[in-house]
Amino acid sequence: MSSAVVESDTEFVALPVIHHARAAAAFTSDAARTDWHDESLWLVRKKRDVAAAAVPEWEELRALASAVKEHTLGRLDEYLVQFEKNATENGVHVHWAADADEHNRIVAQILRERGARRLVKSKSMLTEECGLNGHLEADGVEVVDTDLGERIIQLAGDTPSHIVMPAIHYKKEEIGTLFNRTMGTQEGSADPQYLTEAARADLRKRFFAADASLTGVNFAVAETGGFVVCTNEGNADLGVHLAPIHIASMGIEKLIPRADDLGIFLRLLARSATGQPLTVYSSHFHAPTPGREIHLVLVDNGRSEQLGREAFAAGLKCIRCGACMNTCPVYRRSGGHSYGSTIPGPIGSILAPNRDMKKYRELPYASTLCGSCTDVCPVMIDIHEQLYAWRQEETRAGVQPPFKRLSMLFAGMFLGRPRLYRLGARLMRFALSRLPRSAIYNRWNAWGRERELPQLPEESFRDWYVRTGGTSE
Amino acid sequence: MNSRDQILSRVGQHRYDSPLPDLPSFDPPEGSVIDAFGRAVETTAGKYVNCYADEVAAHIGRIHSRADRIASTTGLVNGTVDLRDDSGSQVVGSIELFVCMAELGVAENGAVWITDSRLRSRAALFATQHLAVVVRRDSIVWNMHDAYRRITINKEGFGVFVCGPSKTADIEQSLVIGAHGPRSLTVFAIE
C-alpha cells in the first residue's frame, strides 16, 4: 500500500464523486452553528415522537402502510394503467416521462403551447431532482417557488438542505438580510412573523398574476384517478385555483390502490414529518374547474430500474416525510448539503446510489448504522440495512476508492486468519504502548482525529480467557 | 416504443405478488368524540364554537366584527360579497372572511372535509384572509379511516381536508400563523 495510490484517488477522481465526509468537516468547523442545526432538527424529532405516541395503533399503521406500498409496487404496471384510465376519464391530461429531461420538455411544452410565462410552483422534490427551474428559465418562463422555505432558497440562489424544511440551515438574521436585499424589508429585522408577512404580501401578487401553477403529488389513487397534495401554507392551492393551468409532477411510485388507503398514509405523514396530526391542507384533485386544465406528468427517471433491484426496491415506498433526517445523528451534524443529492439524509443515501453508484459512493458511509432511521420510518423501509447493503454492493461493483478497498482487503486477511490476527494484535498492543504520539495520531487514523484512543487494558480478552477459562475471578 | 409503453414494460418486468391488506378500523377512546374534535381544532390553532345553527351569524359578527367583505356559501350567514362560479380573482382576492359548510369533521385531528359544492369558488377558500367553517355535530367521525369510509373522494372534482389556519415554520422553526392562506380558522359545530 503506497500513499501515492490514495493520493491519486482523492486528487484525480474528486470531481464526479460527492465527498460527504469532506463537506461534513467543513460544516462542523463552525461548532456553534452545528449545535444549533443539531438542536433544531432534534426538536422536530421530539415532536414526531409525541405525535406518534399519541396514536395507540401507530405500529399497526406503519405495518399497513408498508404492506400497501409493497403490494402496489408488485403490480405497479397494472395500477399505473388503471390510474391513467380513470384520471383521463375525469378530464385530467396524463403525460409520461421516461427521464428528467423528458419531464422538463413536457412541462415546457405545455406552458409554451398556452403562452404561459409566469409559473408559481409549490414544493416538489421531483422537480428539484429533474432540475426543472433552470430548464424553464432558459425557456423564458418566470418560475416562482411559493413555499416559504423554497422561496428563501430561490432568492438566495441556494438548494434545499431538507425535503420538508428546505431552509432549515438558515438563521433568521440571514433571512432578514436576504429579504431586505430582495424585498426591501426593514434593515436588521429578523422577526419570523414580520418576515413571513413580507413574503406573504410579495407572493400574493405573484399568485394573482400567474398563468400556470405546478405542484408535486403526495399520493395518487389508482381506483379514482385522483391525486392528493399536502401543504401547511396553502401555497399549492392558492396557485392551483387562481391560475388556469395546473401541472402536477409525480414519480410513478406515488400510487396507492384505494381511496381508503389514504386514511393510513395521511395519519402517518404529518405526524412523522413535523408532529402535526395532519397537514393544514390535504387537497384531493380529481377534475379541473370547468374551462381549466389539469396536466399530470408521470415520471420514471430510474425508478423502474430500482424496482428491479431486490435489495433496494423498498426505498420506493418512501413518502418523503423527512423523519429519518431529523433523527439521524450524522445528518443533524453534517447538514443536508453535505450529501450532494436532492434528497439528503439516510433515505437520500439509499436512493442516490440507485442513480449513480460511483458518484454517491460515500453516502452509504454517512451513517453509524444505528438504525434510528429505520425505527422512525412510517413505511418501515429497512434504511440502515440498505446502507450496509450498498457498501457491499459498491465493493462488488468495484467503485470503492483504493484506500477503502485495500483496508478492507487487509482487514479481511487478518480477521480471517486467527494466528495472524493474534500476532497482529500482540504487535499492536506493543506498538501502541511504545510508539511516539505522532506515529499513532496521523492522517491515517480517522478515529483519532477528534478523539483519544481508549486506554488499553493490562491483559487482552483472549489472554484472560485462556488463563481463566472464561470464569469470573 | 413511446415513453408510456417503455415505462410500463420496464415496470412489468419486476412484478411480484404481495397481498393488499384489509382496511383497518380503530375504536375511538373513551369520552365524547365531539369534545375530542373541539380540543383537536384548538390544538391546530383554530377557534372552536359549539352552538346552535341560528347562533352562528351572531358569533361571526362578534368574532369578525371588523370584516366588511364577507363571502358566504351557507344560508346561515349573509355575505356582503357576491361570489359566483365565475368570480374573477379581483373578487376572490378581496374577501376578508369566507364562510362555508363542511361535509364532515374528524375528531382525531380537528380537520374538516370541504368539497366543490360548498365552495362556489375553490380559490376563495385559500385566498380569504379569515375562514369560518360550519359542521354538523352528527357528521363528526373519530379518525381518518372513518372519514374515508364516509366520504367519496371523487364525487366532486375537488375536496380538501382543512386542519387549522394556514401556517409555516420555515424561518428557524418559529410557528407563524397565516402563511399564504387564511390567518384564522373558526370551526362551528352545530346541532
Side-chain angles (χ1 to χ4, degrees), chain A residues 56-71:
Chain A
E57 59 269 19
W58 185 256
E59 291 305 317
E60 202 178 335
L61 289 176
R62 290 177 72 215
L64 282 164
S66 178
V68 170
K69 285 279 186 181
E70 182 86 21
H71 165 84

Side-chain angles (χ1 to χ4, degrees), chain B residues 59-105:
Chain B
H59 279 290
I60 283 188
R62 190 172 45 77
I63 299 167
H64 295 285
S65 57
R66 284 186 299 175
D68 291 327
R69 297 192 56 80
I70 300 172
S72 172
T73 60
T74 159
L76 297 175
V77 176
N78 293 324
T80 57
V81 176
D82 184 21
L83 189 66
R84 290 182 228 178
D85 298 339
D86 57 352
S87 283
S89 55
Q90 206 136 31
V91 173
V92 169
S94 72
I95 300 170
E96 290 169 273
L97 173 68
F98 182 65
V99 190
C100 70
M101 293 288 297
E103 187 178 323
L104 154 153

